[in-house]
Amino acid sequence: MIVLLVVLCITDGVLAQIRYSVPEEADHGILVGNIAEDLGLDLTKLASRRFQVVPSSRTPYLEVNLENGVLFVNEKIDREQICKQSASCQLNMEVFLENPLELFRVEIEVVDINDNPPSFPETDITVEISESAVPGTRFPLESAFDPDVGSNALRTYDITTNNYFYLDVQTQTDGNKFAELVLEKPLDREQQAAHRYVLTAVDGGQPPRTGTALLVVKVLDSNDNVPVFDQPVYTVSLSENAPVGMLVIQLNATDMDEGLNGEIVYSFSNHISNRVKDLFSIDPRTGRIEVRGEVDFEESSLYQIFVQAKDLGPNAVAAHCKVLVKVTDLNDNAPEITFSTVTESVSEKAAPGTVIALLSVTDRDAEENGQIHVEIIGDVPFKLKTSFRNYFTIVTDGPLNREQADSYSITVVARDKGTPSLATSKSIRVQVSDENDNAPTFTQPIYDVYVTENNVPGAYIHAVTALDPDIGLNALISYSILECDIQGMSVKTYVSINEETGYLYALRSFDYEQLKDFTFMVQAKDAGTPELSTNSTVKVIIVDQNDNAPPGAGSLGEERHSQRASAAHR
Ligand SMILES: *[C@@H]1O[C@H](CO)[C@@H](O)[C@H](O)[C@H]1NC(C)=O
Ligand SMILES: *[C@@H]1O[C@H](CO)[C@@H](O)[C@H](O)[C@H]1NC(C)=O
């Protein structure tokens, strides 16, 4: 297709001008025009007038057949190569003829065809946009380039239809088109960190040609996420006396932001108790909570640790969680025995079941470790009675006898049911107090006392002795003679007794010839309440002396009796 345009303009036979146009990219041999015909030259005289052509540029694009004046394409013309972006592109040549001399100027307009698509400088275009950018924000994009001109030049841009952006195509003063990416809807990096669209540049040719590039929108993080714990409350159990450094729990919060915005620092919340701070530590980076002090079940069986996690980004907001530490019991406490009342002494006459002491047993440990078995050890006449809960009474269990055992040591053992079991023992001493349960007893049921006649009145004649196993007043013995008559006279005119010692004295001088013997009762009585007494018999035998005239010998028998009497004195 050749468009022929002739502008003929001859001025004073010096210079005439002729104009053609040829589309770029036309093949070799394509006719542009017939210069000779168009100038009205006689074809037969061309050779004789030495028709010749001088190309003004050394481009070998066009050629003229000097025999017939036909201008044709010699070599493909690339308008963009010759004229770059100029709106018009023209090749010139001059035509000479002699006889007479004629000079013609030939202008050949190279017409643009849409032989170039628009193209982007890079096939990938990356735009970085913060996720905090507000809708309406504009981001200029790199322009595409189309070497064609006029209507074949770049006309507009297009982008893959999407929810987030649209393109606003603008024209610069020099007519170049460029596009701005306009944010339509907020971005969320955590939902989608990059968006990919095809960016298309379209020229105005018929048909239009296009160039594409991959537009990558990288969403930059802003600190729009707080850290999140995977649970609001964590429950862990920890044995009491756990060693320092032992892991309690490894917390794990996650922050969907990146970089510092997603880097988490853990700490105890401000309102945490000082005790918890003493007992536990938290690693700010790893979220490890470790034992730091001595965890004692008996102090508390539950600790609440409030933890916060904060990222290092700007305007960070803390997230919170709670760690419940349930402390499990170890059998680290022995039972304790406390006597609240102890009777110092108990009467030997006390009835079985008499309360001696009141005691309580406690164990600070829990459950099995705190369950206590209590008993009295040894063979003692006492037993334990449960009163209520952990209170016990020690009561007498059977008769007591001070004369056999006047005090007891009572040992109570409390043993818990833990493994291993712990035990405590405590002893009390109880005195058995005396009761007047024993009457005095004479050393002999009957005393034979020999007294030689003619004794001095008031002479000591014998001692009676009674014993009493009780103590104190209950064993304080007083002696007396029980009233009776001897030959019509009170016995108390014959003998007397020392109340305290039991020594017997003759009150008169005995005469064998009148009274050979006599018998009376002595009594030993203690001072107990009620008092107890015993009787015993004393038989006084008067021993004869040779105190009468009639001849006869009886000194032998008298001598013997006298010795026996003196033996009884001792
Ligand atoms: C924390 O949780 C995240 C997500 O569940 C996981 O990828 C990460 O490995 C966990 N870290 C630890 C220390 O448990
Ligand atoms: C001792 O003798 C007196 C007087 O005969 C009598 O009353 C008393 O019961 C006797 N005591 C005992 C223990 O036999």
Side-chain angles (χ1 to χ4, degrees), residues 104 109 290 353 374 412:
F104 300 96
E109 167 81 18
E290 290 179 0
V374 189
V412 176

Side-chain angles (χ1 to χ4, degrees), residues 439 482-483 521-524 532-536:
L482 295 179
E483 187 64 68
M521 302 282 281
V522 286
Q523 190 177 58
L532 297 173
S533 64
T534 319
N535 297 342
S536 184

Side-chain angles (χ1 to χ4, degrees), residues 228 230 250-254 266 286:
V228 178
D230 44 15
Q250 164 96 59
L251 289 177
N252 187 10
T254 46
Y266 300 88
T286 61

Side-chain angles (χ1 to χ4, degrees), residues 334-408:
E336 280 171 31
I337 301 172
T338 310
F339 283 95
S340 42
T341 315
V342 177
T343 309
E344 273 177 27
S345 69
V346 57
S347 164
E348 60 181 324
K349 143 182 116 168
T354 303
V355 174
I356 303 299
L358 178 63
L359 62 105
S360 63
V361 289
T362 52
D363 191 313
R364 298 177 65 213
D365 293 321
E367 295 175 3
E368 299 269 286
N369 295 337
Q371 284 176 15
I372 315 168
H373 173 76
V374 189
E375 62 179 352
I376 289 176
I377 56 165
D379 185 16
V380 289
F382 300 97
K383 66 177 180 186
L384 275 174
K385 267 179 71 179
T386 311
S387 39
F388 63 93
R389 292 217 341 241
N390 285 336
Y391 286 82
F392 297 87
T393 50
I394 297 178
V395 298
T396 55
D397 181 29
L400 300 176
N401 187 345
R402 193 202 62 80
E403 287 71 34
Q404 273 171 19
D406 63 357
S407 75
Y408 290 95

Side-chain angles (χ1 to χ4, degrees), residues 426-444:
K426 224 167 187 180
S427 300
I428 56 168
R429 180 160 284 276
V430 175
Q431 301 289 338
V432 180
S433 63
D434 189 47
E435 286 296 329
N436 195 18
D437 55 350
N438 289 283
T441 50
F442 280 100
T443 51
Q444 290 173 235

Side-chain angles (χ1 to χ4, degrees), residues 190 223-234 250-257 261-266 307-311 317-322:
E190 289 71 33
N223 196 18
D224 58 348
N225 285 282
V226 295
V228 178
F229 285 101
D230 44 15
Q231 284 174 241
V233 179
Y234 300 85
Q250 164 96 59
L251 289 177
N252 187 10
T254 46
D255 189 318
M256 286 162 65
D257 292 328
N261 295 342
E263 208 166 298
I264 296 173
V265 171
Y266 300 88
V307 177
Q308 63 177 32
K310 221 170 168 179
D311 63 43
V317 174
H320 297 93
C321 79
K322 182 161 84 171

Side-chain angles (χ1 to χ4, degrees), residues 75-93:
E75 204 172 275
K76 266 189 188 174
I77 307 168
D78 183 357
R79 192 200 69 85
E80 286 73 31
Q81 199 191 340
I82 304 166
C83 301
K84 313 289 181 207
Q85 284 301 101
S86 306
S88 72
C89 184
Q90 133 183 337
L91 297 174
N92 301 319
M93 56 176 61

